[in-house]
Amino acid sequence: MQRAGALRTRWYLAVGAALTVVAVAAPTAHQRDAAYGLACVMLIGATLVSKRRTHLNGPVAAAIIVAVASLAVGHSLRGLRMQAAMFGHSALELVGTVAMIVAAVAVVRRRPPTRVAATVVDAGVLALGAWLIGWIVFVRPIADAHGQTGATLAVDGLLGPATMILLCLVALIVFSRTKPRLALRMLGSALLVDVIGHTTTALVDAGHLATSFDRFGGACHVAAYVIAGGALMHWTAAEILSPTTQPPLERRLGRLVLTTSGLLVPVVVLAATTPHDNADHWVRIVSVVAIGCATMVRVVMSGRDTTETQDELVRGAQTDALTGLPNRSTLLAKINECMTAAWSDNRQPALYFVDLDRFKNINDSLGHAAGDELLVMVAQRLRAAVPDHATVARLSGDEYVVLEPGAGSAAAAMALADRLLGVFREPLAMSHGDVFVTASIGIALLSLRSSSTPEDLLRHADTAMYRAKDAGRNCVALYDESMHQRVAHRLSLETALYRALDREELRMFHQPILDLDTGDVEGFEALMRWRREDGTEVSPVEFIPIAEDTGTINAIGAWALLEALIQLRLWIDEGVCSSLATMSVNVSPRQLADPGFPAMVSEALTRAAVSPHQLWLEVTEGIMIAEPELALATLQRLRSLGVRVALDDFGTGYSSLSLLQRFPLQRIKIDRAFVLGVADNPNDRSLVRTIVAMGRSLDLDIVAEGVETVQQMQVLSDLGCKKAQGYLISRPVPAEAMRTTVAALERLSGVPGLRPPAGRPATSLA
Ligand code: C2E
Ligand code: MG
Ligand code: MG
């Protein structure tokens, strides 16, 4: 399509070029006029042919045709060189120009220029300048030469401004927001060439040029029509009237040069000529005043523009683009101000670090646009909840900070924090529907005794906010010194944990799991131990969550799994335990979320030469609630490997029955918290009874954790729980101690009630 169009356009332009040559070089006026007439017919043809493709609606196409027809007839009248014909020529040229203005306006309306007002004023300055030149150089001299008065002078006088308006419209198109495609540029050039043609004939009529230049003027018209026709036939013509998708374009320098010349040239022409008569004198004065006014308006606009741009830049640097709230740097400056004022006024500013809980879930499930909408709503609510003198800032993501310059006391600070929490009690009415969010808030009060910086205060509020998150979210925490120490301690653990594996500071301990019916050791749970360089032991309760947060858990967990399986293989081979013994390994949610996890498990089983059936993976319910689809997919893949999965710490969380039904689980481990009271507390006992009954009905294996006394073991056994682990049986021990541990436990098997042997502490059977 495009190719055929291009070929047609090329032919059209080639014929047009030949006509232009004829219009300049043909010896007789008839031949030149014939070329002119043909060019007009071709342009009308091109307009009709391309009407549909270029979206030229009826009035626009008609305007082009009227323009061409009137210009053509006007041209032929000019040749007659009679008074009436000259008037007809001018009048038709005016009609043609007005028709072209109509068409150009249609184009401009579809291509809105940048900074419309400024562009209009720029174009106005140009038009006025050109009008003044036109008046001095053409209109006045032509009127004198031909003795024009009245209607003819008025038509000629109007022709100048009309042409200028047309030029302005061309300028508007050129200054439009987007880069014009070829067809539009051709159309602009056609108008320009046409105006040059008119100028030439006007110069001839005014006696400034010899009549032989008429040919040149005529050829300009022919060329203009040919170019315009070519433009309409070109394939980019579709963009002339349709809104374009081209990137924005700023041409400030070009505009400046054009506008300044629009001022300069008339000044030069004014200086070089003298007024012809009184009327001429006044026309000049009025025109100069008009140009002066337009220029002044433009200067004022440009000044305002610069101030606005500057304000915009300053605002952009100080505020958060999404919510319009002050940003971090503005907040820090405000904290600084408050601190300085606090020393003199003895006031105590408070900083509230507000962080939305699980905002990532909203972004992930509803999309980023909804996330943004929510952030804006939260900003508005926080703003409405605090006193006018307080500042609400947004730091990044879902972090907001409120600065209250005169909170006064911890109690007052807590009161405002409660109000801030209250902001989230009502659902947020978003376009997706109502959404509930909660927030965790950390408060830091400026201590007038310590010399803290704004950054310190912000960090303290941040630390307190993390404390609130740790405390279960949707709550408030007030900063104190101990939090700082905790943070410092955690940071040192984080750093040391990165190297713990390489430095061989990690080890696996194992705790036997006993079959209460047979008294046999049915398996072991692998539990990680970390002895730091300086000899201090760090509990897994402390370091596993850090490894989770920092992501080191994937490497550490993979190491633990392989280590535990290799150990089991070794014990089986050495006869420490039965060849059917199992190994239970704890798995963190982050490991389960890793798509490569099942493959890693499979490889570890192969490397350790352990049957999948002998591996229990202990998972907690957290991931099944947070990311059920992901958890289900991973657990099913593990299941298909033949590996079994145990639900650890059962009873502490939601412990919903639906989890047990929905996920492929084969064991539940009753949490120590319930085992602790099973012998004495009827509530715990009935809970354990329920768990056991539920587990049995679902055909699940049940293990009780943390069995510490014989009574607990007895009750558990009576309730139908057939497997147990705990300090009563054995504490977690290093691998080398397992042979003696298992041997001691086997010696006890068959002893009624598994009573601890005389002389041994009641804390361990082994
Ligand atoms: P868990 O999986 O529930 O492990 C049982 C915890 O209870 C172990 O604590 C064990 O030493 C302790 N325990 C066993 N019997 C008794 C008892 O009779 N009384 C009392 N008071 N405690 C008993 P530990 O070794 O400190 O591990 C704590 C938690 O750390 C584990 O809880 C597990 O969630 C996690 N963990 C340990 N090792 C690993 C590991 O290799 N990977 C992962 N992801 N987590 C691990
Ligand atoms: Mg466990
Ligand atoms: Mg447990």
Side-chain angles (χ1 to χ4, degrees):
M1 266 294 270
Q2 263 181 30
R3 261 188 151 191
L7 202 67
R8 251 200 326 261
T9 314
R10 241 175 259 161
W11 268 107
Y12 183 95
L13 290 176
V15 174
L19 285 179
T20 313
V21 173
V22 172
V24 185
T28 68
H30 284 306
Q31 288 164 339
R32 293 198 293 270
D33 286 347
Y36 185 96
L38 255 172
C40 289
V41 172
M42 276 172 68
L43 175 53
I44 292 172
T47 310
L48 293 175
V49 166
S50 61
K51 187 168 169 270
R52 198 166 45 87
R53 193 167 40 85
T54 53
H55 310 282
L56 290 180
N57 51 24
V60 178
I64 295 178
I65 293 168
V66 167
V68 176
S70 10
L71 290 175
V73 178
H75 178 84
S76 56
L77 285 179
R78 186 172 173 273
L80 300 177
R81 299 253 160 219
M82 284 155 57
Q83 194 71 22
M86 284 307 277
F87 172 72
H89 160 74
S90 296
L92 283 171
E93 231 173 51
L94 187 60
V95 171
T97 311
V98 170
M100 283 200 280
I101 289 174
V102 171
V105 164
V107 177
V108 171
R109 280 181 53 187
R110 298 294 176 98
R111 306 176 62 87
T114 33
R115 299 170 197 270
V116 183
T119 311
V120 167
V121 179
D122 278 353
V125 170
L126 270 181
L128 283 167
W131 145 254
L132 191 54
I133 299 168
W135 172 260
I136 296 170
V137 181
F138 313 117
V139 182
R140 203 56 246 181
I142 294 173
D144 285 349
H146 298 273
Q148 279 178 352
T149 47
T152 320
L153 185 60
V155 168
D156 267 2
L158 282 174
L159 196 57
T163 313
M164 289 317 129
I165 290 172
L166 188 61
L167 273 179
C168 285
L169 289 167
V170 175
L172 277 180
I173 295 170
V174 175
F175 294 150
S176 78
R177 196 181 299 156
T178 55
K179 192 175 174 187
R181 300 286 290 265
L182 185 61
L184 205 61
R185 275 182 296 181
M186 282 171 79
L187 219 53
S189 318
L191 278 170
L192 219 73
V193 173
D194 196 48
V195 170
I196 293 172
H198 282 296
T199 315
T200 312
T201 39
L203 282 170
V204 171
D205 289 345
H208 297 302
L209 287 176
T211 42
S212 55
F213 274 92
D214 252 356
R215 291 166 176 241
F216 176 72
C220 279
H221 293 308
V222 172
Y225 301 159
V226 169
I227 298 171
L232 292 177
M233 290 184 61
H234 193 255
W235 63 272
T236 55
E239 251 195 30
I240 293 175
L241 280 178
S242 61
T244 155
T245 50
Q246 294 272 312
L249 193 73
E250 285 278 352
R251 286 195 177 118
R252 295 208 165 189
L253 188 65
R255 239 160 99 159
L256 203 66
V257 170
L258 253 174
T259 323
T260 331
S261 357
L263 283 171
L264 210 65
V265 180
V267 169
V268 172
V269 173
L270 265 180
T273 56
T274 45
H276 195 263
D277 53 24
N278 211 23
D280 189 9
H281 183 72
W282 278 107
V283 168
R284 288 172 183 233
I285 288 181
V286 171
S287 307
V288 167
V289 169
I291 294 181
C293 289
T295 314
M296 215 151 73
V297 170
R298 186 64 181 95
V299 170
V300 170
M301 281 173 92
S302 153
R304 217 171 33 203
D305 229 34
T306 316
T307 324
E308 270 172 20
T309 315
Q310 251 168 14
D311 286 354
E312 232 166 73
L313 278 176
V314 171
R315 221 170 323 152
Q318 291 182 340
T319 55
D320 159 49
L322 179 67
T323 58
L325 294 177
N327 61 12
R328 187 188 198 93
S329 61
T330 316
L331 175 75
L332 287 172
K334 288 207 180 230
I335 299 176
N336 201 24
E337 264 171 46
C338 278
M339 281 177 152
T340 323
W343 298 115
S344 48
D345 307 355
N346 207 18
R347 287 191 307 175
Q348 197 176 19
L351 209 60
Y352 305 76
F353 205 111
V354 183
D355 189 285
L356 302 185
D357 297 329
R358 303 196 173 89
F359 175 67
K360 190 177 170 294
N361 287 358
I362 293 184
N363 256 346
D364 290 351
S365 55
L366 300 179
H368 285 260
D372 284 355
E373 190 186 347
L374 184 130
L375 291 174
V376 173
M377 282 184 158
V378 169
Q380 288 162 350
R381 284 209 181 170
L382 289 176
R383 194 50 273 177
V386 299
D388 284 345
H389 60 265
T391 304
V392 181
R394 178 170 168 245
L395 294 196
S396 65
D398 59 344
E399 295 172 343
Y400 301 84
V401 172
V402 175
L403 168 66
E404 155 67 307
S409 65
M414 283 307 260
L416 179 59
D418 276 341
R419 212 154 78 219
L420 292 175
L421 274 190
V423 154
F424 300 98
R425 275 189 205 119
E426 290 291 310
L428 293 153
M430 306 210 332
S431 38
H432 281 78
D434 285 359
V435 171
F436 273 102
V437 272
T438 57
S440 304
I441 302 179
I443 312 174
L445 280 161
L446 175 70
S447 157
L448 296 176
R449 274 172 284 121
S450 75
S451 55
S452 29
T453 63
E455 284 85 359
D456 287 342
L457 200 62
L458 193 60
R459 209 179 43 248
H460 293 171
D462 189 19
T463 305
M465 184 276 291
Y466 272 105
R467 191 83 204 98
K469 291 254 183 221
D470 285 347
R473 298 185 167 95
N474 193 18
C475 59
V476 182
L478 186 67
Y479 177 80
D480 64 53
E481 255 325 288
S482 69
M483 281 184 195
H484 176 70
Q485 282 150 14
R486 249 197 311 263
V487 170
H489 175 64
R490 188 188 149 110
L491 203 69
S492 97
L493 281 187
E494 259 178 35
T495 324
L497 193 57
Y498 273 114
R499 287 178 235 121
L501 198 57
D502 292 340
R503 292 187 178 173
E504 298 185 355
E505 292 172 9
L506 298 174
R507 278 197 307 163
M508 296 312 285
F509 270 39
H510 301 85
Q511 189 177 34
I513 298 172
L514 209 64
D515 185 317
L516 296 185
D517 281 345
T518 61
D520 291 340
V521 173
E522 81 92 40
F524 312 89
E525 176 172 6
L527 294 158
M528 206 183 292
R529 296 292 174 259
W530 179 20
R531 182 190 289 250
R532 290 183 67 176
E533 220 176 8
D534 57 7
T536 50
E537 290 276 350
V538 189
S539 160
V541 179
E542 192 172 4
F543 75 80
I544 293 288
I546 297 178
E548 267 268 314
D549 286 352
T550 54
T552 38
I553 193 69
N554 287 329
I556 291 178
W559 169 83
L561 177 76
L562 185 64
E563 195 73 4
L565 291 175
I566 289 176
Q567 190 59 64
L568 179 67
R569 177 79 272 151
L570 222 66
W571 284 334
I572 292 173
D573 292 348
E574 289 172 357
V576 172
C577 60
S578 126
S579 61
L580 298 174
T582 61
M583 181 59 79
S584 300
V585 180
N586 291 287
V587 175
S588 289
R590 191 149 175 171
Q591 286 176 276
L592 271 193
D594 176 10
F597 182 69
M600 187 272 286
V601 172
S602 167
E603 198 196 321
L605 285 165
T606 315
R607 280 179 66 181
V610 169
S611 148
H613 199 69
Q614 286 175 281
L615 173 63
W616 282 100
L617 293 177
E618 296 195 2
V619 302
T620 45
E621 63 187 14
I623 186 150
M624 298 180 214
I625 292 160
E627 299 197 59
E629 269 81 35
L630 185 72
L632 185 63
T634 312
L635 294 184
Q636 277 167 342
R637 281 169 66 197
L638 289 169
R639 185 75 210 108
S640 67
L641 289 179
V643 173
R644 289 177 293 174
V645 179
L647 189 55
D648 207 350
D649 306 339
F650 191 75
T652 52
Y654 291 92
S655 308
S656 96
L657 182 63
S658 69
L659 282 187
L660 299 178
Q661 286 170 323
R662 184 164 174 210
F663 293 93
L665 303 165
Q666 291 78 43
R667 169 183 280 182
I668 44 182
K669 294 189 79 174
I670 306 174
D671 193 74
R672 198 172 72 226
F674 307 102
V675 172
L676 194 69
V678 80
D680 320 308
N681 184 333
N683 285 342
D684 283 352
R685 195 175 318 144
S686 71
L687 203 105
V688 170
R689 185 181 291 117
T690 313
I691 295 175
V692 171
M694 196 163 78
R696 278 184 160 180
S697 71
L698 291 168
D699 205 19
L700 296 174
D701 195 55
I702 301 160
V703 177
E705 293 188 297
V707 182
E708 291 184 355
T709 66
V710 176
Q711 289 83 349
Q712 288 167 353
M713 180 130 79
Q714 193 60 59
V715 175
L716 285 165
S717 177
D718 293 347
L719 290 174
C721 177
K722 301 297 178 203
K723 282 168 192 163
Q725 73 183 93
Y727 291 172
L728 173 69
I729 299 155
S730 162
R731 285 179 174 266
V733 294
E736 54 278 11
M738 194 52 85
R739 182 181 286 280
T740 50
T741 304
V742 173
L745 286 170
E746 272 168 5
R747 270 202 307 279
L748 280 166
S749 71
V751 176
L754 282 168
R755 258 180 256 289
R760 268 184 182 276
T763 48
S764 175
L765 297 177

